[in-house]
Amino acid sequence: MLGECGMQERDRRGLRKYAVTLCKEMVVDELFIQSLQTDDILTDSMAESILAEPTSHKRSWRLLSLLPKRGPRAFSSFCSALRDTEQQHLCALLTESPERDGERQRYVDSPLPLPTQEGMVPAKRARTQESMEMCLDADSPITSSVLPCTPDFYLKHCQQSYSMVSSPRGLALVISNVSFDPCAAPDLDSRKGGEVDEEVLRKVFTELDYIVTVRRDLTAQGMRECIEQFGRRQQHQTVSSCVVCLLSHGVEGAIYGTDGQLLELDWVFEAFDNAHCPLLQNKPKMFFIQACRGEEMDCGVEQSDGPERTQSPGCEQRDAGREGEGDGDTRQMEERGRLRVKLPQRSDMICGFASLKGTAAMRNTKRGSWFIQEVNSALRFRARDTHLSDILVQVNGRIKDREGYAPGTPHHRCKEMSEFTSSLCKDLYLFPKYHPQY
């Protein structure tokens, strides 16, 4: 039985029967929605309304409420989208139930591929503690173009922010360790999906007008030499900023080289401080660290009823009277006026971490890590009118809402929480695709 402009009643019943399971387990991301748009099941406005929902649960509910009204092909297209996004278990749930004995015959006449055992994703094995960068979920990298900054926005915000007018905006270094020496580092698994992260970062920073250098699979000493050479490049003198992305296995305060040796992150930051990298003094230096910071897996906690708790406001301490001390001494002021301005040892840096201290980071073997996916998406859609600190706050919010899917393993419904540290002294707008004319 087929309603006007609707799907078959049997298909409707299947969606209703498993709606709760679908809303709990289905990942509705841009790739999933694009598949339905390609089949003309969803219009652009429908796709936008689904993706605008703040949580995965709400996106799923909105999609399921629209599908029964989208014609007789909507169900088969929906099942195809599930298979294309590695959610075959949900497709099987809908198509292999006892009341659908004739389902496979209906698929024979369909141009869409049959769900087969060969296409099923094998159960994910439990990861060792030495390899705690989990490979989970099914979101895909966003590839939409970076949205441009408008001239009006630039003129309103350029005075109170870091100067970002050079073209290129700066140099970017991406070090990505994917394969590790099985003899020197037998406990470090290959970081499948790491190559996706490096390509995502190369593309987004190239679009943001950075000259991007990508280095793959370096030992700890190789990373040191690469970073030292990068920091000495004379082109830093004529550009506005710098980006360093480090992707590897790690522990708190360090990342692994392919030889199983550790590179201390504090050494990395020191290499770009005001003493060791004078070419970048007073210029913003951005760091993105995709690595575990410990072995603990964040299993999450159930949110209690009522509003989220907030901490009591902290007390802002005064600077023990140091600022302005001796202001009445005219002679000391004149002496200070004759001295060259001094900078702190380390300033104008911002660093985004994929996970909190002591916890593991999450990575999908085909679509890359959660953190790099969200950084990529936020830069593409929000850099036009949002400074980097707020962009990383938004990344934190997106990471907070994500949840791993790995049924039958300890990592099912696992969580991650990113964070960032900053010694920036101004707003850092990237002003994408805008170049002032002087």
Side-chain angles (χ1 to χ4, degrees), residues 82-124:
L82 288 171
R83 291 192 297 274
D84 290 345
T85 55
E86 300 180 14
Q87 302 181 78
Q88 292 94 332
H89 64 291
L90 295 178
C91 178
L93 184 72
L94 292 169
T95 61
E96 297 177 7
S97 55
E99 61 268 27
R100 301 185 62 87
D101 292 335
E103 187 66 23
R104 287 191 175 271
Q105 182 59 43
R106 186 162 71 87
Y107 272 99
V108 170
D109 301 325
S110 169
L112 301 172
L114 285 169
T116 62
Q117 185 64 33
E118 289 77 15
M120 299 295 284
V121 177
K124 294 181 174 65

mmCIF file of all heavy atoms in Angstrom, residues 82-124:
data_model
loop_
_atom_site.group_PDB
_atom_site.id
_atom_site.type_symbol
_atom_site.label_atom_id
_atom_site.label_comp_id
_atom_site.label_asym_id
_atom_site.label_seq_id
_atom_site.Cartn_x
_atom_site.Cartn_y
_atom_site.Cartn_z
ATOM 1 N N LEU A 82 22.836 4.322 4.654
ATOM 2 C CA LEU A 82 23.355 3.631 5.841
ATOM 3 C C LEU A 82 24.552 2.756 5.474
ATOM 4 O O LEU A 82 25.567 2.742 6.173
ATOM 5 C CB LEU A 82 22.262 2.778 6.485
ATOM 6 C CG LEU A 82 21.143 3.527 7.224
ATOM 7 C CD1 LEU A 82 20.032 2.558 7.616
ATOM 8 C CD2 LEU A 82 21.683 4.234 8.465
ATOM 9 N N ARG A 83 24.442 2.033 4.363
ATOM 10 C CA ARG A 83 25.559 1.180 3.955
ATOM 11 C C ARG A 83 26.765 2.012 3.544
ATOM 12 O O ARG A 83 27.897 1.681 3.887
ATOM 13 C CB ARG A 83 25.119 0.267 2.805
ATOM 14 C CG ARG A 83 24.117 -0.809 3.206
ATOM 15 C CD ARG A 83 23.947 -1.839 2.104
ATOM 16 N NE ARG A 83 23.394 -1.272 0.880
ATOM 17 C CZ ARG A 83 22.097 -1.123 0.644
ATOM 18 N NH1 ARG A 83 21.215 -1.495 1.550
ATOM 19 N NH2 ARG A 83 21.675 -0.606 -0.494
ATOM 20 N N ASP A 84 26.524 3.090 2.837
ATOM 21 C CA ASP A 84 27.635 3.929 2.362
ATOM 22 C C ASP A 84 28.404 4.576 3.502
ATOM 23 O O ASP A 84 29.569 4.949 3.334
ATOM 24 C CB ASP A 84 27.111 5.026 1.430
ATOM 25 C CG ASP A 84 26.616 4.469 0.101
ATOM 26 O OD1 ASP A 84 26.948 3.304 -0.204
ATOM 27 O OD2 ASP A 84 25.891 5.189 -0.614
ATOM 28 N N THR A 85 27.754 4.748 4.647
ATOM 29 C CA THR A 85 28.413 5.394 5.795
ATOM 30 C C THR A 85 28.759 4.382 6.892
ATOM 31 O O THR A 85 28.889 4.738 8.057
ATOM 32 C CB THR A 85 27.526 6.513 6.369
ATOM 33 O OG1 THR A 85 26.224 5.985 6.693
ATOM 34 C CG2 THR A 85 27.369 7.652 5.383
ATOM 35 N N GLU A 86 28.927 3.110 6.480
ATOM 36 C CA GLU A 86 29.398 2.053 7.378
ATOM 37 C C GLU A 86 28.454 1.816 8.565
ATOM 38 O O GLU A 86 28.880 1.523 9.675
ATOM 39 C CB GLU A 86 30.807 2.364 7.885
ATOM 40 C CG GLU A 86 31.824 2.488 6.764
ATOM 41 C CD GLU A 86 33.209 2.805 7.272
ATOM 42 O OE1 GLU A 86 33.455 2.664 8.488
ATOM 43 O OE2 GLU A 86 34.052 3.176 6.448
ATOM 44 N N GLN A 87 27.154 1.941 8.308
ATOM 45 C CA GLN A 87 26.153 1.652 9.334
ATOM 46 C C GLN A 87 25.280 0.484 8.882
ATOM 47 O O GLN A 87 24.058 0.501 9.008
ATOM 48 C CB GLN A 87 25.317 2.906 9.621
ATOM 49 C CG GLN A 87 26.165 4.091 10.081
ATOM 50 C CD GLN A 87 25.345 5.323 10.387
ATOM 51 O OE1 GLN A 87 24.710 5.425 11.443
ATOM 52 N NE2 GLN A 87 25.351 6.275 9.481
ATOM 53 N N GLN A 88 25.964 -0.551 8.348
ATOM 54 C CA GLN A 88 25.253 -1.693 7.787
ATOM 55 C C GLN A 88 24.394 -2.411 8.814
ATOM 56 O O GLN A 88 23.380 -3.014 8.469
ATOM 57 C CB GLN A 88 26.257 -2.689 7.182
ATOM 58 C CG GLN A 88 26.965 -2.173 5.935
ATOM 59 C CD GLN A 88 28.298 -1.538 6.269
ATOM 60 O OE1 GLN A 88 28.466 -1.027 7.366
ATOM 61 N NE2 GLN A 88 29.224 -1.559 5.341
ATOM 62 N N HIS A 89 24.802 -2.360 10.083
ATOM 63 C CA HIS A 89 24.024 -3.057 11.110
ATOM 64 C C HIS A 89 22.621 -2.471 11.233
ATOM 65 O O HIS A 89 21.657 -3.188 11.501
ATOM 66 C CB HIS A 89 24.744 -2.985 12.461
ATOM 67 C CG HIS A 89 24.892 -1.608 13.008
ATOM 68 N ND1 HIS A 89 25.724 -0.658 12.438
ATOM 69 C CD2 HIS A 89 24.309 -0.996 14.074
ATOM 70 C CE1 HIS A 89 25.644 0.466 13.125
ATOM 71 N NE2 HIS A 89 24.793 0.291 14.104
ATOM 72 N N LEU A 90 22.491 -1.157 10.987
ATOM 73 C CA LEU A 90 21.166 -0.526 11.039
ATOM 74 C C LEU A 90 20.367 -0.853 9.780
ATOM 75 O O LEU A 90 19.147 -1.043 9.839
ATOM 76 C CB LEU A 90 21.314 0.985 11.203
ATOM 77 C CG LEU A 90 21.945 1.449 12.525
ATOM 78 C CD1 LEU A 90 22.080 2.969 12.557
ATOM 79 C CD2 LEU A 90 21.110 0.977 13.718
ATOM 80 N N CYS A 91 21.067 -0.929 8.647
ATOM 81 C CA CYS A 91 20.395 -1.336 7.411
ATOM 82 C C CYS A 91 19.853 -2.756 7.566
ATOM 83 O O CYS A 91 18.713 -3.047 7.183
ATOM 84 C CB CYS A 91 21.365 -1.252 6.242
ATOM 85 S SG CYS A 91 20.665 -1.795 4.670
ATOM 86 N N ALA A 92 20.674 -3.643 8.138
ATOM 87 C CA ALA A 92 20.241 -5.028 8.336
ATOM 88 C C ALA A 92 19.057 -5.099 9.289
ATOM 89 O O ALA A 92 18.142 -5.911 9.114
ATOM 90 C CB ALA A 92 21.411 -5.860 8.866
ATOM 91 N N LEU A 93 19.066 -4.253 10.299
ATOM 92 C CA LEU A 93 17.961 -4.215 11.255
ATOM 93 C C LEU A 93 16.644 -3.926 10.547
ATOM 94 O O LEU A 93 15.599 -4.520 10.843
ATOM 95 C CB LEU A 93 18.243 -3.145 12.313
ATOM 96 C CG LEU A 93 17.239 -3.006 13.465
ATOM 97 C CD1 LEU A 93 17.357 -4.188 14.409
ATOM 98 C CD2 LEU A 93 17.494 -1.698 14.229
ATOM 99 N N LEU A 94 16.683 -3.024 9.578
ATOM 100 C CA LEU A 94 15.469 -2.614 8.863
ATOM 101 C C LEU A 94 15.061 -3.610 7.775
ATOM 102 O O LEU A 94 13.871 -3.802 7.529
ATOM 103 C CB LEU A 94 15.683 -1.239 8.224
ATOM 104 C CG LEU A 94 15.813 -0.056 9.177
ATOM 105 C CD1 LEU A 94 16.289 1.180 8.418
ATOM 106 C CD2 LEU A 94 14.484 0.232 9.860
ATOM 107 N N THR A 95 16.048 -4.223 7.125
ATOM 108 C CA THR A 95 15.738 -5.015 5.921
ATOM 109 C C THR A 95 15.705 -6.513 6.143
ATOM 110 O O THR A 95 15.230 -7.255 5.277
ATOM 111 C CB THR A 95 16.757 -4.718 4.809
ATOM 112 O OG1 THR A 95 18.068 -5.071 5.265
ATOM 113 C CG2 THR A 95 16.722 -3.253 4.430
ATOM 114 N N GLU A 96 16.220 -6.992 7.283
ATOM 115 C CA GLU A 96 16.289 -8.432 7.491
ATOM 116 C C GLU A 96 15.395 -8.904 8.621
ATOM 117 O O GLU A 96 15.568 -10.000 9.148
ATOM 118 C CB GLU A 96 17.743 -8.842 7.764
ATOM 119 C CG GLU A 96 18.653 -8.559 6.575
ATOM 120 C CD GLU A 96 20.101 -8.898 6.855
ATOM 121 O OE1 GLU A 96 20.371 -9.475 7.938
ATOM 122 O OE2 GLU A 96 20.947 -8.591 6.010
ATOM 123 N N SER A 97 14.439 -8.087 9.032
ATOM 124 C CA SER A 97 13.494 -8.513 10.062
ATOM 125 C C SER A 97 12.545 -9.561 9.479
ATOM 126 O O SER A 97 12.303 -9.600 8.281
ATOM 127 C CB SER A 97 12.706 -7.304 10.578
ATOM 128 O OG SER A 97 12.082 -6.635 9.507
ATOM 129 N N PRO A 98 11.981 -10.456 10.315
ATOM 130 C CA PRO A 98 11.145 -11.565 9.823
ATOM 131 C C PRO A 98 9.984 -11.112 8.962
ATOM 132 O O PRO A 98 9.614 -11.797 8.014
ATOM 133 C CB PRO A 98 10.640 -12.226 11.113
ATOM 134 C CG PRO A 98 11.680 -11.884 12.140
ATOM 135 C CD PRO A 98 12.168 -10.525 11.784
ATOM 136 N N GLU A 99 9.391 -9.954 9.287
ATOM 137 C CA GLU A 99 8.211 -9.539 8.518
ATOM 138 C C GLU A 99 8.555 -9.017 7.131
ATOM 139 O O GLU A 99 7.673 -8.647 6.367
ATOM 140 C CB GLU A 99 7.440 -8.448 9.286
ATOM 141 C CG GLU A 99 8.205 -7.168 9.552
ATOM 142 C CD GLU A 99 8.904 -7.207 10.897
ATOM 143 O OE1 GLU A 99 9.231 -8.316 11.359
ATOM 144 O OE2 GLU A 99 9.102 -6.127 11.486
ATOM 145 N N ARG A 100 9.871 -9.002 6.799
ATOM 146 C CA ARG A 100 10.259 -8.489 5.492
ATOM 147 C C ARG A 100 10.845 -9.613 4.634
ATOM 148 O O ARG A 100 11.890 -9.473 4.008
ATOM 149 C CB ARG A 100 11.280 -7.369 5.637
ATOM 150 C CG ARG A 100 10.768 -6.191 6.453
ATOM 151 C CD ARG A 100 11.767 -5.061 6.455
ATOM 152 N NE ARG A 100 11.994 -4.556 5.116
ATOM 153 C CZ ARG A 100 11.262 -3.616 4.538
ATOM 154 N NH1 ARG A 100 10.221 -3.091 5.170
ATOM 155 N NH2 ARG A 100 11.530 -3.201 3.318
ATOM 156 N N ASP A 101 10.152 -10.777 4.576
ATOM 157 C CA ASP A 101 10.664 -11.914 3.819
ATOM 158 C C ASP A 101 10.835 -11.594 2.344
ATOM 159 O O ASP A 101 11.695 -12.148 1.674
ATOM 160 C CB ASP A 101 9.723 -13.127 3.963
ATOM 161 C CG ASP A 101 9.736 -13.684 5.376
ATOM 162 O OD1 ASP A 101 10.755 -13.482 6.067
ATOM 163 O OD2 ASP A 101 8.731 -14.305 5.779
ATOM 164 N N GLY A 102 9.985 -10.704 1.852
ATOM 165 C CA GLY A 102 10.094 -10.372 0.431
ATOM 166 C C GLY A 102 11.023 -9.221 0.142
ATOM 167 O O GLY A 102 11.126 -8.782 -1.006
ATOM 168 N N GLU A 103 11.720 -8.753 1.138
ATOM 169 C CA GLU A 103 12.537 -7.549 0.972
ATOM 170 C C GLU A 103 13.657 -7.733 -0.039
ATOM 171 O O GLU A 103 13.909 -6.875 -0.863
ATOM 172 C CB GLU A 103 13.122 -7.141 2.321
ATOM 173 C CG GLU A 103 13.855 -5.805 2.306
ATOM 174 C CD GLU A 103 12.931 -4.654 2.040
ATOM 175 O OE1 GLU A 103 11.717 -4.766 2.290
ATOM 176 O OE2 GLU A 103 13.414 -3.626 1.540
ATOM 177 N N ARG A 104 14.336 -8.888 0.013
ATOM 178 C CA ARG A 104 15.474 -9.059 -0.864
ATOM 179 C C ARG A 104 15.038 -9.116 -2.332
ATOM 180 O O ARG A 104 15.743 -8.641 -3.210
ATOM 181 C CB ARG A 104 16.256 -10.322 -0.499
ATOM 182 C CG ARG A 104 17.036 -10.119 0.781
ATOM 183 C CD ARG A 104 18.026 -11.238 1.037
ATOM 184 N NE ARG A 104 18.819 -10.924 2.198
ATOM 185 C CZ ARG A 104 19.935 -10.249 2.180
ATOM 186 N NH1 ARG A 104 20.390 -9.774 1.039
ATOM 187 N NH2 ARG A 104 20.618 -10.005 3.276
ATOM 188 N N GLN A 105 13.842 -9.693 -2.596
ATOM 189 C CA GLN A 105 13.378 -9.707 -3.975
ATOM 190 C C GLN A 105 13.151 -8.288 -4.471
ATOM 191 O O GLN A 105 13.417 -7.970 -5.616
ATOM 192 C CB GLN A 105 12.092 -10.528 -4.077
ATOM 193 C CG GLN A 105 11.566 -10.646 -5.499
ATOM 194 C CD GLN A 105 12.571 -11.292 -6.424
ATOM 195 O OE1 GLN A 105 13.210 -12.282 -6.078
ATOM 196 N NE2 GLN A 105 12.750 -10.714 -7.618
ATOM 197 N N ARG A 106 12.651 -7.410 -3.555
ATOM 198 C CA ARG A 106 12.431 -6.023 -3.964
ATOM 199 C C ARG A 106 13.756 -5.350 -4.305
ATOM 200 O O ARG A 106 13.836 -4.514 -5.201
ATOM 201 C CB ARG A 106 11.732 -5.258 -2.835
ATOM 202 C CG ARG A 106 11.347 -3.850 -3.226
ATOM 203 C CD ARG A 106 10.296 -3.293 -2.271
ATOM 204 N NE ARG A 106 10.835 -3.011 -0.970
ATOM 205 C CZ ARG A 106 11.417 -1.855 -0.670
ATOM 206 N NH1 ARG A 106 11.559 -0.926 -1.594
ATOM 207 N NH2 ARG A 106 11.863 -1.630 0.546
ATOM 208 N N TYR A 107 14.833 -5.749 -3.605
ATOM 209 C CA TYR A 107 16.128 -5.138 -3.889
ATOM 210 C C TYR A 107 16.719 -5.629 -5.202
ATOM 211 O O TYR A 107 17.532 -4.952 -5.814
ATOM 212 C CB TYR A 107 17.131 -5.444 -2.755
ATOM 213 C CG TYR A 107 17.075 -4.436 -1.646
ATOM 214 C CD1 TYR A 107 16.359 -4.703 -0.477
ATOM 215 C CD2 TYR A 107 17.733 -3.226 -1.775
ATOM 216 C CE1 TYR A 107 16.306 -3.767 0.536
ATOM 217 C CE2 TYR A 107 17.697 -2.284 -0.759
ATOM 218 C CZ TYR A 107 16.978 -2.565 0.396
ATOM 219 O OH TYR A 107 16.930 -1.641 1.401
ATOM 220 N N VAL A 108 16.302 -6.840 -5.654
ATOM 221 C CA VAL A 108 16.844 -7.356 -6.909
ATOM 222 C C VAL A 108 16.517 -6.411 -8.057
ATOM 223 O O VAL A 108 17.298 -6.235 -8.987
ATOM 224 C CB VAL A 108 16.281 -8.769 -7.183
ATOM 225 C CG1 VAL A 108 16.632 -9.228 -8.585
ATOM 226 C CG2 VAL A 108 16.828 -9.751 -6.154
ATOM 227 N N ASP A 109 15.348 -5.790 -8.000
ATOM 228 C CA ASP A 109 14.931 -4.894 -9.069
ATOM 229 C C ASP A 109 15.429 -3.472 -8.854
ATOM 230 O O ASP A 109 15.107 -2.581 -9.628
ATOM 231 C CB ASP A 109 13.394 -4.869 -9.149
ATOM 232 C CG ASP A 109 12.841 -6.256 -9.417
ATOM 233 O OD1 ASP A 109 13.506 -7.011 -10.150
ATOM 234 O OD2 ASP A 109 11.764 -6.583 -8.873
ATOM 235 N N SER A 110 16.197 -3.263 -7.810
ATOM 236 C CA SER A 110 16.663 -1.917 -7.495
ATOM 237 C C SER A 110 18.081 -1.712 -8.010
ATOM 238 O O SER A 110 18.885 -2.640 -8.016
ATOM 239 C CB SER A 110 16.644 -1.704 -5.969
ATOM 240 O OG SER A 110 17.328 -0.522 -5.634
ATOM 241 N N PRO A 111 18.412 -0.533 -8.487
ATOM 242 C CA PRO A 111 19.785 -0.273 -8.931
ATOM 243 C C PRO A 111 20.744 -0.156 -7.756
ATOM 244 O O PRO A 111 21.951 -0.084 -7.951
ATOM 245 C CB PRO A 111 19.669 1.075 -9.664
ATOM 246 C CG PRO A 111 18.502 1.759 -9.004
ATOM 247 C CD PRO A 111 17.550 0.643 -8.660
ATOM 248 N N LEU A 112 20.236 -0.129 -6.517
ATOM 249 C CA LEU A 112 21.090 0.022 -5.345
ATOM 250 C C LEU A 112 21.706 -1.316 -4.975
ATOM 251 O O LEU A 112 21.096 -2.366 -5.169
ATOM 252 C CB LEU A 112 20.277 0.555 -4.162
ATOM 253 C CG LEU A 112 19.612 1.903 -4.409
ATOM 254 C CD1 LEU A 112 18.680 2.238 -3.251
ATOM 255 C CD2 LEU A 112 20.656 2.986 -4.568
ATOM 256 N N PRO A 113 22.946 -1.345 -4.437
ATOM 257 C CA PRO A 113 23.602 -2.617 -4.121
ATOM 258 C C PRO A 113 22.919 -3.345 -2.979
ATOM 259 O O PRO A 113 22.366 -2.736 -2.074
ATOM 260 C CB PRO A 113 25.020 -2.171 -3.710
ATOM 261 C CG PRO A 113 24.850 -0.752 -3.264
ATOM 262 C CD PRO A 113 23.765 -0.186 -4.109
ATOM 263 N N LEU A 114 22.964 -4.662 -3.033
ATOM 264 C CA LEU A 114 22.405 -5.471 -1.953
ATOM 265 C C LEU A 114 23.319 -5.426 -0.730
ATOM 266 O O LEU A 114 24.537 -5.409 -0.862
ATOM 267 C CB LEU A 114 22.297 -6.928 -2.402
ATOM 268 C CG LEU A 114 21.173 -7.267 -3.369
ATOM 269 C CD1 LEU A 114 21.394 -8.673 -3.912
ATOM 270 C CD2 LEU A 114 19.831 -7.172 -2.678
ATOM 271 N N PRO A 115 22.733 -5.427 0.480
ATOM 272 C CA PRO A 115 23.571 -5.567 1.659
ATOM 273 C C PRO A 115 24.101 -6.987 1.734
ATOM 274 O O PRO A 115 23.340 -7.949 1.719
ATOM 275 C CB PRO A 115 22.602 -5.279 2.820
ATOM 276 C CG PRO A 115 21.250 -5.564 2.281
ATOM 277 C CD PRO A 115 21.311 -5.294 0.808
ATOM 278 N N THR A 116 25.416 -7.142 1.744
ATOM 279 C CA THR A 116 26.014 -8.475 1.762
ATOM 280 C C THR A 116 26.947 -8.608 2.943
ATOM 281 O O THR A 116 27.402 -7.630 3.518
ATOM 282 C CB THR A 116 26.823 -8.716 0.472
ATOM 283 O OG1 THR A 116 27.887 -7.756 0.412
ATOM 284 C CG2 THR A 116 25.953 -8.567 -0.758
ATOM 285 N N GLN A 117 27.263 -9.865 3.260
ATOM 286 C CA GLN A 117 28.160 -10.125 4.380
ATOM 287 C C GLN A 117 29.529 -9.512 4.121
ATOM 288 O O GLN A 117 30.192 -9.027 5.012
ATOM 289 C CB GLN A 117 28.295 -11.631 4.587
ATOM 290 C CG GLN A 117 29.117 -12.031 5.818
ATOM 291 C CD GLN A 117 28.466 -11.583 7.106
ATOM 292 O OE1 GLN A 117 27.244 -11.540 7.198
ATOM 293 N NE2 GLN A 117 29.274 -11.227 8.083
ATOM 294 N N GLU A 118 29.977 -9.543 2.831
ATOM 295 C CA GLU A 118 31.294 -8.996 2.508
ATOM 296 C C GLU A 118 31.370 -7.506 2.801
ATOM 297 O O GLU A 118 32.432 -6.963 3.044
ATOM 298 C CB GLU A 118 31.619 -9.236 1.035
ATOM 299 C CG GLU A 118 31.905 -10.693 0.713
ATOM 300 C CD GLU A 118 30.627 -11.509 0.645
ATOM 301 O OE1 GLU A 118 29.532 -10.907 0.555
ATOM 302 O OE2 GLU A 118 30.726 -12.744 0.686
ATOM 303 N N GLY A 119 30.209 -6.816 2.742
ATOM 304 C CA GLY A 119 30.217 -5.378 2.973
ATOM 305 C C GLY A 119 30.114 -5.003 4.428
ATOM 306 O O GLY A 119 30.199 -3.836 4.769
ATOM 307 N N MET A 120 29.905 -5.993 5.292
ATOM 308 C CA MET A 120 29.736 -5.691 6.706
ATOM 309 C C MET A 120 31.075 -5.343 7.330
ATOM 310 O O MET A 120 32.102 -5.919 6.992
ATOM 311 C CB MET A 120 29.130 -6.888 7.446
ATOM 312 C CG MET A 120 27.762 -7.278 6.925
ATOM 313 S SD MET A 120 26.519 -6.018 7.210
ATOM 314 C CE MET A 120 26.226 -6.252 8.953
ATOM 315 N N VAL A 121 31.058 -4.389 8.244
ATOM 316 C CA VAL A 121 32.276 -4.001 8.936
ATOM 317 C C VAL A 121 32.565 -5.014 10.031
ATOM 318 O O VAL A 121 31.698 -5.293 10.853
ATOM 319 C CB VAL A 121 32.127 -2.593 9.568
ATOM 320 C CG1 VAL A 121 33.377 -2.231 10.363
ATOM 321 C CG2 VAL A 121 31.880 -1.566 8.479
ATOM 322 N N PRO A 122 33.747 -5.615 10.068
ATOM 323 C CA PRO A 122 34.050 -6.575 11.124
ATOM 324 C C PRO A 122 34.061 -5.898 12.478
ATOM 325 O O PRO A 122 34.326 -4.712 12.586
ATOM 326 C CB PRO A 122 35.457 -7.071 10.755
ATOM 327 C CG PRO A 122 36.040 -5.996 9.898
ATOM 328 C CD PRO A 122 34.877 -5.397 9.160
ATOM 329 N N ALA A 123 33.740 -6.681 13.504
ATOM 330 C CA ALA A 123 33.715 -6.126 14.860
ATOM 331 C C ALA A 123 35.086 -5.572 15.204
ATOM 332 O O ALA A 123 36.114 -6.173 14.925
ATOM 333 C CB ALA A 123 33.329 -7.218 15.854
ATOM 334 N N LYS A 124 35.095 -4.382 15.788
ATOM 335 C CA LYS A 124 36.357 -3.756 16.157
ATOM 336 C C LYS A 124 36.957 -4.492 17.346
ATOM 337 O O LYS A 124 36.289 -4.764 18.319
ATOM 338 C CB LYS A 124 36.132 -2.278 16.511
ATOM 339 C CG LYS A 124 35.678 -1.448 15.325
ATOM 340 C CD LYS A 124 35.508 0.003 15.746
ATOM 341 C CE LYS A 124 35.185 0.896 14.560
ATOM 342 N NZ LYS A 124 33.931 0.596 13.952
#
